[in-house]
């Protein structure tokens, strides 16, 4: 018995799912509302010297599985040649049975390079040559256009002057939008050793002297207003854990930090709670979507961190027993003045899925479907099972048709295939419900819902 590998209907196991994907989902443009790509590379229309540069540079997903395959670090982040690194990736890929990286690798080979052979040591040389030849005429902008991307939201620090966003906006040859997203993590992370130096940079960017909490808020507000002028419609916060603490003097806490004194865990949490609540009101007044990402424990392997630094594949999932209680309390405090902004909540811990859906269900806004959203499965969870689990929790406890859909959360320009992957999984899940007799076979209505989830909901939600 033979089965076609990743044919046009892969992941589509019912006739209903095939119709929903091919007729409705596949043709929708992409709104990538959260990613980490470099806007400069878009403006300069970067080209890549080989497939390793576009595929393996900075991709901690791939680095982790290569380490799990006992590949030496010199072939991952070290000084081996690009071809040697590609060889080690080709050695690893065939072993990734059930891993989404196996699917993504071959989706990217098919969609961008017209390569339908599977990557292995046997095909390594051929794919290297064929892909590199294709890359000669496959610049960043061409990749984005080929992927049918309509909007990209990057992730940007408040001190960024957004030079490249401005140039992109002024370039009439660029037909898609590239918008900044406000990411004030460094202003929130009062416990970091570089916090005081960061506030100096924030002073320079804002023109606001920072001597206390009130002036810090003024500086942040000035930078946010500049971001809004540049088209910002989203913010993002990486919290690691959900914070909530009241009753402490924030001015005294900030003064201690500026004086170089060590803060207690409670003081750190109180400061973050107060600043987040201040920011949430600013977002509400400016119609900016607030995104809260949590559930990560960072730099678990200290030896590796000391050598390689952050964002190199040594982060893991954190499980917080009280995250639901604190999330509810934080949202409640933000909602006290009836100014809770549109909010998307993500946890890296899939055990929090049902918890998130129940908490955000307590804060929805009359007349505004999906005011609070359960963010898509991300990072360690953007697997087939992770996406299905997230979608089932969302559909069980909320309104699936209001969901704003997928994002890449990626630094790679080839990652737009993750939207196709998500759309196939979404259509597969809905098709199964229909053919189990759990929902009527109203294809036009379901097709409209699929189009909403894949495209229109995000466009409307972010007011793009």
């Amino acid at each position: 018995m033979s089965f076609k590998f990743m044919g046009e209907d892969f992941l589509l196991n019912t006739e209903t799912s095939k119709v929903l994907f091919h007729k409705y989902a596949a043709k929708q443009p992409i709104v990538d509302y959260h990613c980490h790509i470099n806007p400069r590379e878009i403006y300069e229309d970067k080209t890549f010297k080989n497939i390793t540069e576009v595929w393996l540079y900075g991709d901690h997903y791939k680095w982790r599985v290569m380490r799990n395959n006992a590949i030496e670090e010199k072939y991952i982040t070290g000084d081996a040649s690009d071809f040697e690194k590609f060889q080690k990736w080709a050695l690893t890929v065939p072993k990734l049975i059930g891993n989404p990286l196996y699917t993504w690798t071959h989706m990217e080979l098919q969609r961008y390079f017209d390569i339908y052979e599977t990557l292995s040591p046997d095909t390594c040389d051929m794919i290297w040559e064929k892909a590199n030849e294709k890359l000669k005429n496959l610049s960043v902008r061409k990749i984005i256009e080929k992927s049918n991307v309509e909007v990209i939201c990057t992730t940007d620090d408040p001190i960024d002057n957004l030079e490249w966003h401005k140039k992109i906006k002024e370039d009439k040859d660029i037909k898609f939008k590239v918008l900044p997203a406000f990411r004030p993590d460094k202003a929130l992370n009062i416990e970091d050793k570089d916090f005081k130096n960061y506030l100096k940079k924030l002073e320079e960017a804002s023109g606001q002297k920072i001597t206390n909490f009130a002036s810090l808020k003024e500086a942040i507000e000035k930078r946010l207003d500049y971001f809004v002028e540049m088209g910002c419609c989203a913010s993002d916060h990486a919290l690691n854990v959900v914070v909530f603490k009241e009753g402490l003097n924030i001015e005294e806490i900030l003064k201690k930090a500026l004086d170089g004194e060590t803060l207690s865990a409670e003081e750190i949490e109180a400061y973050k709670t107060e600043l987040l609540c201040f920011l949430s009101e600013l977002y509400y007044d400016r119609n900016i979507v607030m995104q809260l990402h949590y559930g990560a424990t960072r730099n678990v392997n200290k030896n590796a961190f000391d050598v390689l630094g952050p964002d190199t594949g040594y982060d893991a999932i954190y499980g917080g027993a009280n995250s639901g209680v604190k999330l509810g309390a934080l949202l409640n405090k933000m909602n006290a003045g009836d100014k809770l902004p549109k909010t998307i909540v993500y946890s890296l811990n899939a055990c929090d899925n049902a918890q998130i859906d129940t908490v955000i269900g307590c804060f929805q806004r009359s007349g505004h479907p999906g005011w609070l959203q359960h963010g898509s499965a991300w990072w360690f969870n953007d697997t087939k099972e992770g996406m299905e689990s997230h979608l089932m929790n969302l559909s069980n406890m909320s309104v699936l048709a209001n969901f704003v859909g997928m994002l890449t959360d990626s630094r790679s320009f080839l990652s737009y295939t993750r939207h196709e992957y998500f759309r196939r999984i979404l259509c597969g899940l809905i098709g199964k419900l229909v053919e189990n007799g759990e929902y009527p076979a109203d294809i036009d209505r379901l097709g409209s819902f699929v189009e909403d989830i894949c495209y229109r909901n995000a466009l409307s939600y972010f007011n793009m």
Side-chain angles (χ1 to χ4, degrees):
M1 184 180 296
S2 63
F3 299 93
K4 187 175 183 181
F5 170 67
M6 280 182 55
E8 64 177 11
D9 292 331
F10 89 99
L11 298 177
L12 307 173
N13 296 321
T14 66
E15 291 305 312
T16 302
S17 64
K18 293 172 187 176
V19 172
L20 290 175
F21 177 76
H22 293 300
K23 185 177 179 181
Y24 298 96
K27 63 184 179 182
Q28 298 307 307
I30 288 174
V31 176
D32 196 25
Y33 56 84
H34 176 71
C35 71
H36 297 276
I37 60 175
N38 187 340
R40 178 174 182 170
E41 293 177 348
I42 297 174
Y43 178 74
E44 295 180 343
D45 201 18
K46 179 177 178 174
T47 56
F48 302 91
K49 61 180 181 287
N50 59 54
I51 191 171
T52 295
E53 183 182 5
V54 70
W55 239 11
L56 297 175
Y57 283 21
D59 192 336
H60 52 78
Y61 282 80
K62 295 186 178 75
W63 295 351
R64 286 176 66 96
V65 294
M66 291 173 78
R67 292 178 187 128
N68 286 337
N69 196 36
I71 302 298
E72 294 178 59
E73 195 64 34
K74 68 175 288 188
Y75 299 107
I76 301 172
T77 61
D79 59 1
S81 70
D82 284 355
F83 180 62
E84 289 175 316
K85 291 178 179 178
F86 184 75
Q87 285 180 309
K88 296 300 184 182
W89 179 238
L91 179 66
T92 300
V93 167
K95 298 182 179 182
L96 300 181
I97 304 165
N99 192 306
L101 282 167
Y102 191 85
T103 305
W104 297 347
T105 293
H106 294 101
M107 288 180 74
E108 291 170 15
L109 286 175
Q110 291 181 11
R111 303 297 179 266
Y112 298 111
F113 302 102
D114 297 317
I115 295 173
Y116 289 85
E117 293 84 0
T118 57
L119 181 61
S120 70
D122 294 336
T123 60
C124 177
D125 291 5
M126 178 274 293
I127 290 177
W128 171 265
E129 295 295 335
K130 191 172 180 179
N132 289 347
E133 186 63 30
K134 276 277 188 180
L135 278 172
K136 292 178 181 178
N137 298 301
L138 196 60
S139 65
V140 160
R141 293 190 198 177
K142 288 180 180 177
I143 292 171
I144 293 170
E145 290 165 0
K146 185 179 180 68
S147 305
N148 196 21
V149 178
E150 190 170 297
V151 186
I152 297 169
C153 291
T154 58
T155 303
D156 309 280
D157 192 282
I159 67 172
D160 196 311
N161 64 13
L162 305 182
E163 170 189 3
W164 303 105
H165 293 85
K166 187 173 188 295
K167 289 182 175 182
I168 290 169
K169 190 175 182 179
E170 294 170 347
D171 190 330
K172 302 305 180 186
D173 292 331
I174 300 178
K175 305 304 181 187
F176 49 87
K177 293 181 182 179
V178 181
L179 306 176
F182 196 68
R183 178 84 171 240
D185 290 355
K186 291 181 181 178
L188 275 159
N189 293 338
I190 193 170
E191 74 277 21
D192 284 0
K193 62 181 180 181
D194 197 45
F195 176 75
K196 187 175 179 179
N197 291 332
Y198 176 75
L199 292 195
K200 294 293 184 185
K201 296 175 184 177
L202 182 59
E203 284 183 341
E204 294 173 9
S206 65
Q208 172 67 52
K209 183 71 175 174
I210 299 172
T211 57
N212 54 24
F213 192 60
S215 55
L216 170 59
K217 292 192 292 185
E218 288 182 34
I220 291 173
E221 185 170 2
K222 287 180 179 179
R223 295 309 298 162
L224 179 59
D225 285 338
Y226 174 65
F227 270 59
V228 172
E229 288 175 18
M230 293 300 297
C232 174
C233 57
S235 69
D236 186 57
H237 302 274
L239 300 178
N240 293 345
V241 298
V242 186
V243 295
F244 184 76
K245 180 65 182 177
E246 293 184 297
L248 300 185
N249 188 311
I250 306 303
E251 291 289 3
E252 290 182 2
I253 293 170
L254 181 58
K255 184 178 185 303
K256 285 179 66 175
L258 295 178
D259 289 343
E261 297 181 37
T262 300
L263 301 177
S264 69
E266 285 192 339
E267 288 172 326
I268 293 167
E269 192 161 353
Y271 168 83
K272 292 184 177 183
T273 300
E274 193 67 25
L275 187 53
L276 279 169
C277 290
F278 167 73
L279 284 164
S280 72
E281 185 170 344
L282 296 185
Y283 300 150
Y284 179 90
D285 289 339
R286 292 156 179 78
N287 195 23
I288 291 175
V289 174
M290 178 173 67
Q291 298 177 90
L292 303 175
H293 286 84
Y294 62 88
T297 178
R298 306 281 181 172
N299 309 312
V300 172
N301 184 330
K302 186 179 184 302
N303 289 344
F305 174 76
D306 290 343
V307 175
L308 300 174
D311 301 320
T312 52
Y314 291 97
D315 301 331
I317 294 171
Y318 175 89
N322 62 352
S323 60
V325 173
K326 289 196 173 185
L327 176 62
L330 181 64
L331 294 176
N332 188 59
K333 183 175 174 65
M334 291 174 174
N335 191 52
D338 201 27
K339 283 194 170 186
L340 179 62
K342 293 177 184 175
T343 302
I344 307 179
V345 180
Y346 313 74
S347 174
L348 195 57
N349 192 330
C351 296
D352 294 339
N353 280 348
Q355 181 184 86
I356 288 172
D357 286 314
T358 58
V359 172
I360 65 174
C362 300
F363 295 96
Q364 298 295 355
R365 197 172 189 88
S366 177
H368 298 275
W371 187 259
L372 268 70
Q373 294 271 338
H374 182 180
S376 63
W378 60 296
W379 199 349
F380 297 118
N381 298 313
D382 53 10
T383 64
K384 178 174 176 285
E385 287 73 18
M387 290 183 193
E388 287 175 339
S389 175
H390 165 266
L391 289 169
M392 285 308 302
N393 275 281
L394 181 58
S395 62
N396 285 338
M397 300 184 183
S398 188
V399 182
L400 178 60
N402 292 337
F403 180 42
V404 293
M406 187 57 178
L407 47 78
T408 61
D409 190 33
S410 174
R411 292 170 175 80
S412 169
F413 289 98
L414 297 183
S415 293
Y416 297 115
T417 52
R418 294 184 194 176
H419 283 264
E420 178 187 342
Y421 185 62
F422 165 80
R423 292 172 182 187
R424 288 177 177 272
I425 291 166
L426 172 69
C427 293
L429 185 149
I430 294 174
K432 182 179 179 182
L433 292 173
V434 170
E435 300 199 14
N436 279 349
E438 298 178 67
Y439 194 92
D442 185 342
I443 298 301
D444 288 340
R445 175 175 299 194
L446 287 168
S448 181
F449 289 157
V450 165
E451 290 175 344
D452 287 344
I453 294 168
C454 295
Y455 171 61
R456 289 192 294 259
N457 286 348
L459 207 63
S460 173
Y461 189 74
F462 288 90
N463 195 32
M464 292 171 171

